[in-house]
Each structure stands twice: as C-alpha cells, then as structure tokens.
Amino acid sequence: MTQATIPLIEDISILYSEPKLKGAQTRWASLVRDFEQLYGRVPDFIARSPGRVNLIGEHIDYAGFGVLPMAIEDDCLIAVAIDHNDSTVKISNSNGAKYPALKFVPKPADQGYVDIDPQAHVWTNYFAAGYRGLLEDLQIEKPNGMLCLMSGTVPAGAGLSSSSAFVCCSVNATLKAQESLLAGKTGPTAHELAIISIRSERYVGTMGGGMDQACSILAKPNSACFIEFHPVLKVTPVAFPTTIPPVAFVIADTLVTSDKAVTAPVRYNLRVVETRGAARILAMALGIPIPESGKLHLKQVLDAHFDKIGFTAAAGKTEAEIDIEKLTEMGQIVERVFGTEEIKDGVTFEKLCELSQLSGDEFTRLYIQQPIRAERFHLYRRAKHVFGEEKRVVEFRDTCEKAEAKKQTAETVFSLLGRLMDASQESCHELFDCSCDQLEELTQLARRSGAYGSRLTGAGWGGASVSLVPEDKVPGFIATLKKEYYNKHHPELTEEELENVVFASAPSSGAATFVGRDPIAVEMVITHIVNHINTTIDKKVDVVVGLDARGFLFGPLIAMRLGAAFAPVRKAGKLPGATIQVAYEKEYGTDKFEMQADSIKPGQNVIVIDDLIATGGSAAGAQELIQKLQGNVLEFIFLIELEFLKGKDVLKAPVYSMIKA
Ligand code: NG1
C-alpha cells in the first residue's frame, strides 16, 4: 500500500491524449466560466475522476476476485469554491436543464450529514454519497461550505462507471474542501480514499464490488489496472504488450441504458445475493467454517479450501499457473455441488434457505441488505461464471506481462487476448445472464468487422461493449460499426453525437485535483474579471487598455469577451504610427509611456488593466494618456494590489483588484 495522496496538478494535458486534449480544454474552460456566472466567483479547485472500461473480469469483484479495468479519458469534474464561514453546500450540473441543482445545510455528524434516499433516483445522490462517506471518515463537526458545479462526460448507464466517477470525484472534492479543518493532520491517502469511495457508493443503494472506485482513483497512466480485493485492496498497473501495431480498445455503446440503481432488485443486487448464497453453500459442502457475520465470498471459499487440503504447488509453476489450477478445481467442485438436477436450473428462495441451513429471515438479515425480487436463484450458473471469469483474468494479465519475454507476435497476442474476451462475453451471456440482444448483436458485428475479441463491459444488460482492435484498423472498424449498427438502430444520431458513442479511448490516469496555472487558471482570471465588469459597470466598455507588459496577457482576452477594442500602453519607441507620450514616475525613476494617437476616440469608455498596482505610477501615466485622447476611464482593474503603497490614491477612477496584499 502506498502513502501517496491524490495528485495536485497544474496542467490538464497530462490527463488526455492528443486527439482529446483540445475538446477537454474547451470543456474545462467553460466549466470555469459557467461557475463564475452561477456563483459570482472563481472556483478554488477542480476535482477530476475518470470513468473506466473493464477489459475483463465481470461481476467477480463482489465475489472478491481480481479484475482488469482501465481508466478512460471521459470523466467527472467538480469545480469547487470553499466557504469558510458557512457550511451550506450547493451542487449544480453543467447540464442544468436535465439535472436540477441541490442545496443543503449539513446535519450533525451523528445524523449522517445528509439524507440519501436510494429509492429516489436523483443524480445528486452520487454527490451526497461521496460527501457523506468522506465526512464520516473525517468526523468533521462543522464542515466548510462548498459551492460546486459538476460536468460529466462518462455516459450514464453505459457500463463505463459514470456513477463511481461521480462518487469518487465527490469524495476527492470534499476532502480538498475540508483540508483546512484537518488541523495539520494528513488526510486519507489515495488508497484510503478508494476504500472510502467504495463504501460511500453503497449509500446509493447498490451492493457494488469496488472495481470502479479503485480504478477511478488509483489508475496509473498508460496501463490497465489489475485490482485485487482480498485480503486487502491492491492495484497493480499492467502495461499492454508493445506490439506493432499497438493494441487498441474501442468502446461502443449499445445505447440501451441500464440504470444499475433502478434495476438493482432484479439484476445487480440479485446477482450479489446469488453469489453470496453460492459461497455459503459451497463452503458448507467443503467443510469450511462460516463466520458469525455470514460474510464470506467465493474468493474466501477458494482460499479456505486450498488451505484446508494443504495444497502445495508443484515445483516450478508460475503464480498464474497455480491460480489457474485452483480455479479449474473450483469449477469441478461447482459441477459436483451445484450441477445436480435439483440445483442446476435454479432454486426457489425456500430451497436456497434450506441449502444454506438458514430461515428466510436469517438469510435475509445476512445476505440481502437491499431489496431483491426473483423466482429462482441460480447458484450453478453464477458460481461457474465467477471461477471461469477469474481464470480468464489471470490468463489475460499473464499474456500482457509475458508476451515480450515470450517474443510473441502481434497476431498471437491479439488472438490470445481476443479469445479470452470472447469467452468472457459468452459466459456473461450464457451463465451470468447479464447480456442483452443489442450487446450480442454489437459484439458479433465487432468480431466480423476486425475485432480480435469483443465483450460487454461493466454491469451489462445494455450499456457498452469493448473490442480489441489493432490500432491501425480502428478508423475502419468504427466506420463499419457506425454503418451497420448505429445507422440501422439510431439513424437520428449526428456524426458529432456518434463520436461520443463509439470511440477508442487511451488509458487515462486516475483521480487528480487541479489547482493550477495555465490555461484553466488564465480562464478563471479572465472569467472573473469579465463577470465583475458585466455585473458592476452598467456602461458599455469601448476600449480595454492594457499596460506594458503583463496587461497584454489579460487585456486582449477581456476585450474579446466584452466585444471591445484593445489598446496597448507601451514604453516609448515601440508602437508604430502616430503616438502620444507622457513621462511618469516609477518607484525607481522616470519613464515614458506611449499610446497610438487614434487608439481611443473622444468620449469612449475605457477600462485599464494590469497585473499589479504598487505606487500607481504606471497606471497614473496611462490615465494621463487616456485623458489626452479624451477617453473616459470607467475603472482600473488589477490582479494584485499592494494596499500599503496606496497606489489607488493617485488614480481618478475606481480601482478593483482581485487580490489585496
Ligand atoms: P458498472 O458498469 O459501473 O455498473 C458495476 C459495479 C462493479 C462491477 C461491475 C460488473 C458498482 C459501482 N459497479 O459496474 O463493481 O461489479 O458492475 O463487473 O457497483
């Protein structure tokens, strides 16, 4: 376990691949602008957590087995301004028309800070879950207030983990916002935050495993993550083999939305109960003691079984070979215990309880924390899937890690990995019943169109597929899916909309907090100033005057936003054409400033901008030049004002400064 905390970043280009960066910059910048419009101030930071695509290992995290997802570039952002005086929380969505805002005053710690009703499927539940989970961990009495604006690009209900990206982002944002109250203590590590996020998401009502949150928080750049849950959470980066052409993964959304929280009683949570029941009954059959709490998952059953029989691996076997041997044996045990006529095709709840040697009430108390509905419980098919799927995860990882040493060709690597993905899809379809017609259609089409393997990703029952495609074949592959699937089922989608529905994603890195400089920080400053002008000055600004030299960095951008002209004030001799000149006093002597003679027309309204005001000498020089041209100074605006030098006193118009020092 590492002590690393969530990284603070100053540059978002490390989060996105080249083709996605430009779009991301635009999105981050408009988040800052919208934030300022909404709250009248710039955010103090922006928290970011990515979605994920699970490459292999479906529905086995909650059985305690390792999975192999990769973080994607689509993500959740929460821009936050901290209020140190008032604990109120406001959370809005950049798609406010679809997702209404929420405002709440946190309750005392012993009342859980904020109410979350899992039956009310509202988007803010995911924020509240992360907020509550983190505060419960920190046990803060009077939290700092948070003004939040969320922007998400992970499609909802597509199996790409939009929910966890949001919960993780909320945990991350809440921690950063409360940092000042930690009284010098270090907050939770990234590893601890992943565990807090896993716990937090359960407030939303799903009995989730933990893969999504671990990946969203702990993913490392340029690799997939092998995530183990037992005995402790452990994330190991797995690099892809360096083949020519490289491996690429194409995500294609079926556009059948499966909201995990809404369908949980008959799908996701039901599967959790089935696998828990299977673990208990297998343990009983194998003579493995069951803890009082009843808590035992299939991975613990496997470990306990091989401990019990005193398993020792044959000399020279690799870890992967040993795991595969054990998983194969568990598959045989499943056949023996559950492959009977009585159990194989599913059992009623009464039978499930009888096999578990529990009353209905006891079974419910131990294993059903959230409502479920089912006529039959499938112990055989679920358990068979779990052990088989974990075997594929082990093989997939082993192939990635050993391909180079074995000098395998690209063709061999693609075929090996692809075959495992196809087998996973078959098992999800046949044994775990979490596929659907559209996923079948899309994965079959993908294989026909050049994918080496294709499978559903995430919880299933709709949502996205993931296909393994050689990188050089990606454009053609995507074009075929568009033609054969999307044009057929969704002819209404524009080319631009399709970009977000079928795309290749590079592996992204995990959660981060942006506190930084260019270019989003510039955006924050510009937005703040423009908003200040628009809300406090009721005259139309005709000209923005920027002072040599840092006024040139901000002035033109502000002028563009205001639809005004920009006029520079420069040191003598630099400007072309006819100029006017003044001498002005600086702290260290006299200097000369110039403006172009036609840059301001008589009577025009002017704003003067510079980075810093000290004694006010330069600004007074500019004031004189503007007066000569008969301009009307509405305001002087500075980023920083050194108040004790009283520069303001030499200026004849109001002064606004963002930071006073
Ligand atoms: P998605 O695809 O986000 O619904 C869910 C679970 C995972 C895992 C997969 C199936 C949550 C938050 N996520 O993912 O833990 O069990 O299904 O492999 O519950």
Side-chain angles (χ1 to χ4, degrees):
M1 201 204 298
T2 93
Q3 291 307 305
T5 50
I6 298 280
L8 296 180
I9 57 163
E10 296 186 346
D11 175 6
I12 67 163
S13 66
I14 58 166
L15 302 174
Y16 306 99
S17 64
E18 195 52 40
K20 295 263 170 91
L21 184 59
K22 220 171 158 16
Q25 278 164 341
T26 312
R27 171 171 159 245
W28 281 66
S30 48
L31 178 65
V32 172
R33 267 201 303 278
D34 294 350
F35 190 98
E36 171 93 27
Q37 289 249 305
L38 190 65
Y39 297 120
R41 55 181 287 197
V42 285
D44 292 310
F45 64 87
I46 300 174
R48 182 251 181 192
S49 284
R52 62 99 188 93
V53 57
N54 190 18
L55 302 178
I56 198 150
E58 223 57 86
H59 288 281
I60 60 173
D61 56 349
Y62 51 82
F65 282 111
V67 293
L68 226 158
M70 126 190 150
I72 56 174
E73 296 172 273
D74 284 309
D75 53 18
C76 170
L77 307 178
I78 307 181
V80 182
I82 308 167
D83 189 336
H84 294 275
N85 303 313
D86 179 346
S87 293
T88 304
V89 176
K90 292 183 187 169
I91 167 96
S92 291
N93 192 301
S94 57
N95 185 354
K98 187 162 174 199
Y99 300 108
L102 172 76
K103 175 179 167 186
F104 64 90
V105 178
K107 297 181 160 190
D110 60 359
Q111 290 175 38
Y113 296 101
V114 54
D115 292 331
I116 304 167
D117 176 6
Q119 307 308 324
H121 301 290
V122 289
W123 75 281
T124 43
N125 271 2
Y126 297 93
F127 174 82
Y131 176 83
R132 174 172 176 175
L134 193 274
L135 289 185
E136 282 179 342
D137 188 80
L138 298 182
Q139 282 298 309
I140 285 177
E141 271 310 312
K142 189 179 176 301
N144 286 328
M146 294 167 69
L147 303 177
C148 309
L149 180 60
M150 182 269 198
S151 155
T153 53
V154 187
L160 300 174
S161 197
S162 59
S163 61
S164 302
F166 192 10
V167 172
C168 293
C169 202
S170 165
V171 165
N172 179 11
T174 307
L175 174 62
K176 184 85 192 125
Q178 309 305 330
E179 230 170 36
S180 64
L181 303 176
L182 296 183
K185 283 186 287 178
T186 45
T189 62
H191 190 274
E192 286 160 347
L193 282 186
I195 295 169
I196 293 171
S197 302
I198 295 171
R199 240 187 357 246
S200 301
E201 191 157 343
R202 301 204 174 122
Y203 283 128
V204 179
T206 42
M207 296 151 76
M211 146 167 69
D212 306 354
Q213 301 85 351
C215 183
S216 185
I217 296 221
L218 299 169
K220 296 277 173 289
N222 304 317
S223 48
C225 324
F226 177 61
I227 307 176
E228 293 165 276
F229 303 93
H230 188 75
V232 288
L233 179 70
K234 185 171 166 212
V235 178
T236 313
V238 175
F240 296 111
T242 47
T243 49
I244 304 173
V247 174
F249 292 98
V250 174
I251 295 164
D253 191 347
T254 57
L255 294 173
V256 175
T257 310
S258 172
D259 187 323
K260 202 165 57 254
V262 177
T263 61
V266 290
R267 290 179 172 170
Y268 193 88
N269 287 351
L270 174 59
R271 295 292 178 275
V272 177
V273 171
E274 286 173 311
T275 50
R276 285 177 176 179
R280 178 181 179 97
I281 299 163
L282 269 191
M284 285 164 49
L286 294 169
I288 294 164
I290 294 166
E292 270 291 285
S293 69
K295 284 213 170 69
L296 182 76
H297 49 51
L298 286 166
K299 168 77 163 101
Q300 283 163 301
V301 175
L302 178 147
D303 289 345
H305 171 65
F306 288 101
D307 274 356
K308 184 162 179 274
I309 64 171
F311 174 87
T312 41
K317 286 212 167 183
T318 64
E319 213 178 299
E321 283 165 345
I322 297 167
D323 284 345
I324 288 169
E325 191 182 328
K326 289 181 175 174
L327 289 159
T328 308
E329 188 172 324
M330 290 310 291
Q332 287 155 4
I333 294 171
V334 168
E335 291 292 341
R336 205 179 67 227
V337 180
F338 294 142
T340 62
E341 209 172 299
E342 180 186 34
I343 300 178
K344 199 167 179 179
D345 294 327
V347 295
T348 60
F349 184 63
E350 288 67 37
K351 184 77 192 169
L352 176 66
C353 297
E354 183 196 316
L355 292 167
S356 306
Q357 293 176 10
L358 292 171
S359 70
D361 285 349
E362 281 167 335
F363 190 95
T364 304
R365 184 177 58 79
L366 293 180
Y367 301 112
I368 312 183
Q369 277 82 44
Q370 299 286 344
I372 55 157
R373 294 193 305 276
E375 274 171 22
R376 301 194 86 74
F377 294 77
H378 290 277
L379 304 170
Y380 171 74
R381 291 160 66 216
R382 310 309 182 224
K384 200 168 150 108
H385 166 81
V386 171
F387 292 119
E389 184 75 353
E390 176 61 5
K391 213 152 94 173
R392 288 183 282 275
V393 171
V394 173
E395 288 180 51
F396 196 100
R397 177 185 175 195
D398 199 50
T399 304
C400 289
E401 290 179 343
K402 306 264 174 63
E404 264 153 63
K406 289 187 181 166
K407 296 200 167 43
Q408 282 167 333
T409 62
E411 178 62 30
T412 309
V413 172
F414 293 155
S415 305
L416 287 171
L417 297 179
R419 189 175 47 74
L420 293 166
M421 291 174 72
D422 287 347
S424 166
Q425 173 60 24
E426 195 185 326
S427 182
C428 285
H429 181 50
E430 302 286 332
L431 298 175
F432 218 75
D433 290 321
C434 61
S435 187
C436 67
D437 291 350
Q438 291 83 347
L439 277 166
E440 286 304 301
E441 181 183 340
L442 201 48
T443 50
Q444 281 163 21
L445 169 65
R447 285 178 211 122
R448 286 200 307 277
S449 315
Y452 279 77
S454 187
R455 56 181 296 278
L456 65 84
T457 183
W461 295 288
S465 63
V466 55
S467 305
L468 172 69
V469 183
E471 199 183 75
D472 58 342
K473 300 274 172 10
V474 167
F477 176 77
I478 290 182
T480 312
L481 295 199
K482 283 182 182 167
K483 185 156 153 262
E484 311 261 325
Y485 183 84
Y486 296 103
N487 284 358
K488 199 165 117 197
H489 297 291
H490 296 279
E492 74 285 0
L493 292 179
T494 62
E495 207 31 56
E496 203 188 329
E497 285 167 330
L498 280 173
E499 303 280 290
N500 301 321
V501 169
V502 50
F503 54 90
S505 179
S508 181
S509 48
T513 308
F514 176 84
V515 286
R517 316 212 145 80
D518 316 300
I520 310 299
V522 174
E523 179 67 46
M524 286 188 185
V525 171
I526 302 303
T527 300
H528 178 86
I529 293 174
V530 170
N531 190 47
H532 160 77
I533 295 170
N534 285 338
T535 52
T536 61
I537 299 179
D538 53 8
K539 295 205 175 85
K540 157 109 183 67
V541 177
D542 300 307
V543 184
V544 173
V545 167
L547 303 197
D548 205 340
R550 267 164 281 202
F552 302 169
L553 297 177
F554 305 106
L557 296 172
I558 292 166
M560 274 175 71
R561 291 266 180 90
L562 294 173
F566 175 73
V569 167
R570 296 209 65 182
K571 301 265 172 64
K574 305 261 186 191
L575 289 168
T579 54
I580 57 163
Q581 195 182 77
V582 294
Y584 68 99
E585 284 304 317
K586 297 235 359 161
E587 298 88 277
Y588 43 82
T590 311
D591 217 337
K592 279 179 191 150
F593 257 171
E594 286 184 354
M595 281 187 88
Q596 286 171 309
D598 59 356
S599 56
I600 298 173
K601 295 187 184 56
Q604 280 195 313
N605 290 325
V606 177
I607 291 281
V608 181
I609 175 115
D610 203 2
D611 62 331
L612 179 109
I613 174 166
T615 58
S618 325
Q623 173 171 265
E624 221 182 308
L625 285 169
I626 297 164
Q627 268 170 358
K628 281 193 181 185
L629 296 174
Q630 297 173 44
N632 168 35
V633 180
L634 297 175
E635 190 166 58
F636 290 88
I637 296 179
F638 303 97
L639 269 54
I640 302 170
E641 178 182 344
L642 302 179
E643 279 189 298
F644 62 98
L645 292 175
K646 299 194 180 359
K648 225 179 190 167
D649 297 353
V650 298
L651 302 178
K652 294 178 194 145
V655 171
Y656 173 75
S657 35
M658 284 179 67
I659 302 165
K660 294 187 170 59

